[in-house]
Amino acid sequence: MPRGKTAGKAPCKPARQLLFSEALRQQKHPAPADSPAPSHDTMSDNTQGASMDCILQEISAVGRKLEGMDTAMSALTAETRSMRLEIAGFQSQISGLDHRVAAVESQVVLQADRDQELLYLRSKLTDLEDRSRRNNVRFLGFPEGIEGTDILSYLRDTLPKLANITFDPPLEFQRAHRLGLKRQDRPRPIIACFLRHGQVR
């Protein structure tokens, strides 16, 4: 701000301009004969008073500016505090998300282990099923009911005679039965599960 100017008020005149204006006024309107002429001390006092008024006005303007800066600083402080609270809330949310992600990752690892175990068990089951089926033999052409009530004894006695082979040790079966429903047009096949895999070859 230029010297001698304040917001909302007329600018202050410098001291020399005041003296010049006072001299012109005295020339245009001379003082009466009976009144004494103003002394140099009186003019100096007037000039100093005007200068003090200008200084006071400038100080007042600076004070108003400082008050405005204080208000702005208060608003900035409040906004900064609000931003800190928001950042703290975001940090707590991020921390919660980190815990949830860690839990999900642990679950994924466990699920991967379970998948591996499931694959292993499936392979074992397939192998066991294949091994159990290897000992199964289907016999076709035996008339329906020829085996009587004991199909295991019938197969143990009949198969060596039909194949003309002596088995040592004798044939042993885990189970044997006919497949499907009884039919009139053809006999049902007999399926037998041998106890020893070597006897099936």
Side-chain angles (χ1 to χ4, degrees):
M1 178 185 295
R3 183 177 178 82
K5 291 185 179 181
T6 57
K9 294 187 179 181
C12 296
K13 296 179 180 180
R16 292 182 180 179
Q17 189 175 356
L18 287 174
L19 290 175
F20 183 73
S21 299
E22 186 66 21
L24 288 177
R25 188 178 64 79
Q26 289 178 2
Q27 289 179 2
K28 290 181 181 180
H29 304 286
D34 55 350
S35 61
S39 62
H40 181 71
D41 295 337
T42 304
M43 294 177 63
S44 298
D45 292 341
N46 291 335
T47 302
Q48 291 178 358
S51 299
M52 290 299 295
D53 289 340
C54 290
I55 293 172
L56 290 175
Q57 290 178 5
E58 290 183 1
I59 292 174
S60 178
V62 172
R64 285 193 294 272
K65 285 185 177 181
L66 291 176
E67 290 178 358
M69 292 177 65
D70 289 339
T71 303
M73 286 297 295
S74 299
L76 183 59
T77 303
E79 186 175 358
T80 304
R81 187 179 297 110
S82 176
M83 291 177 65
R84 286 181 179 177
L85 292 176
E86 290 181 358
I87 290 172
F90 290 151
Q91 288 178 347
S92 63
Q93 291 180 2
I94 291 172
S95 178
L97 289 175
D98 288 340
H99 290 303
R100 293 177 63 182
V101 168
V104 170
E105 288 178 348
S106 63
Q107 290 293 329
V108 168
V109 172
L110 290 176
Q111 187 63 36
D113 294 340
R114 290 174 183 172
D115 291 341
Q116 292 292 334
E117 184 179 2
L118 182 59
L119 290 175
Y120 175 74
L121 292 176
R122 283 180 177 176
S123 64
K124 292 291 289 183
L125 179 61
T126 303
D127 183 66
L128 290 175
E129 289 179 348
D130 291 341
R131 287 180 181 275
S132 64
R133 289 172 182 173
R134 289 173 190 171
N135 296 339
N136 291 340
V137 178
R138 296 177 65 179
F139 299 100
L140 304 176
F142 286 94
E144 192 76 31
I146 195 174
E147 68 276 9
T149 58
D150 190 359
I151 190 171
L152 294 178
S153 298
Y154 174 77
L155 293 176
R156 189 182 305 112
D157 297 336
T158 304
L159 290 179
K161 295 177 182 178
L162 292 176
N164 195 18
I165 298 174
T166 302
F167 291 95
D168 187 19
L171 291 179
E172 294 185 74
F173 302 94
Q174 289 183 348
R175 58 187 177 274
H177 59 85
R178 290 192 179 263
L179 293 177
L181 297 176
K182 190 174 183 179
R183 303 175 58 174
Q184 298 294 331
D185 55 345
R186 59 183 178 182
R188 294 174 295 170
I190 297 175
I191 183 168
C193 179
F194 287 80
L195 181 62
R196 296 179 180 84
H197 178 70
Q199 294 180 343
V200 183
R201 296 178 183 178

